[in-house]
Amino acid sequence: MRQLICAGNWKMHKTGRESVAFVDAFLPLVRAIPERVEIVLCPPFTALATVSPKLNGGRVRLGAQDVHWDESGAFTGAISAPMLREYGVQYVIVGHSERREYFGDTDLTVRLKTVAALAAGLTPIVAVGETIELRDAGKTLAHVTLQTRAALDGLSPADLARVVLAYEPIWAIGTGRSCHPAEANAVMAAIRACVPGLRDAPILYGGSVKPDNIAEYTAQPEIDGGLVGGASLDPASFAALCANASG
Ligand code: PGA
């Protein structure tokens, strides 16, 4: 049976204290989640220090929402991969559309961040997705395959084998307007095919994933889990979502 991944992207929500309250409520619920579901929490940077000891290398993995491409240097406000490693972070989201839209991430910096994450032993969750304008113009596949190739350009087969991808149509993020599972599946098939070496890469769907629709996504052959925003902020909701992912 395929391994599934459910990653909660908390975005700019929850202080360190609020994050601990989440984890305290969430961990007892994890027992009911099938083992085939890898559970990842991506709190804000400021909560890593409080959440990390609570997870303590157990079933629930720690992720971050972004990473800089250098190990250290004059980059005010940035956080590097070794800094994340210090807190037991194993996953990092790279290229989320909100980073691309509000913080100037480009195909080039997404690639640099992906390389830096891999070099530090982190698993990058590389996010791609199209705007509603591109979708309406019939350019979804051209856009997401371009983003995917750009992000993974030059990676060795060994590194490619460690990459996780996320397809997040921008028009579906936080809107309650999720992409039809069959449509997402078709886009993900194109993503998988556009770079040799992605045959076995996990690809997550993101965009208004909820406890009651995740199973429709993971039932699709190309979809290996969810990257979840709003529905990951409540412990019961996220636990139900992770459990339902397994069908
Ligand atoms: P959403 O966000 O689940 O709130 O739509 C998903 C994401 O941005 O990763």
Side-chain angles (χ1 to χ4, degrees), residues 9 11 96 98 168 172-174 207-209 227-230:
N9 171 15
K11 310 191 178 186
H96 190 281
E98 288 153 15
E168 299 202 304
I173 294 178
S208 297
V209 180
L227 181 55
V228 187

Side-chain angles (χ1 to χ4, degrees), residues 79-101:
I79 301 289
S80 73
M83 294 171 185
L84 298 178
R85 283 296 301 262
E86 192 177 18
Y87 288 102
V89 169
Q90 289 176 270
Y91 287 86
V92 62
I93 303 167
V94 172
H96 190 281
S97 59
E98 288 153 15
R99 298 291 321 173
R100 294 180 194 254
E101 183 176 356

Side-chain angles (χ1 to χ4, degrees), residues 91-134:
Y91 287 86
V92 62
I93 303 167
V94 172
H96 190 281
S97 59
E98 288 153 15
R99 298 291 321 173
R100 294 180 194 254
E101 183 176 356
Y102 304 126
F103 300 98
D105 284 22
T106 63
D107 283 345
L108 173 63
T109 61
V110 170
R111 182 171 71 79
L112 294 175
K113 290 176 177 195
T114 302
V115 169
L118 289 164
L122 299 171
T123 299
I125 302 175
V126 179
V128 300
E130 82 287 1
T131 60
I132 191 67
E133 291 79 16
L134 286 166

Side-chain angles (χ1 to χ4, degrees), residues 179-239:
C179 182
H180 191 281
E183 188 182 338
N185 188 69
V187 177
M188 283 143 107
I191 291 171
R192 197 183 293 288
C194 81
V195 174
L198 291 184
R199 200 177 57 107
D200 297 321
I203 309 186
L204 316 183
Y205 169 75
S208 297
V209 180
K210 306 283 177 237
D212 61 5
N213 67 10
I214 181 71
E216 295 166 30
Y217 290 102
T218 51
Q220 299 285 333
E222 301 289 346
I223 305 184
D224 304 297
L227 181 55
V228 187
S232 73
L233 294 172
D234 173 76
S237 155
F238 192 50

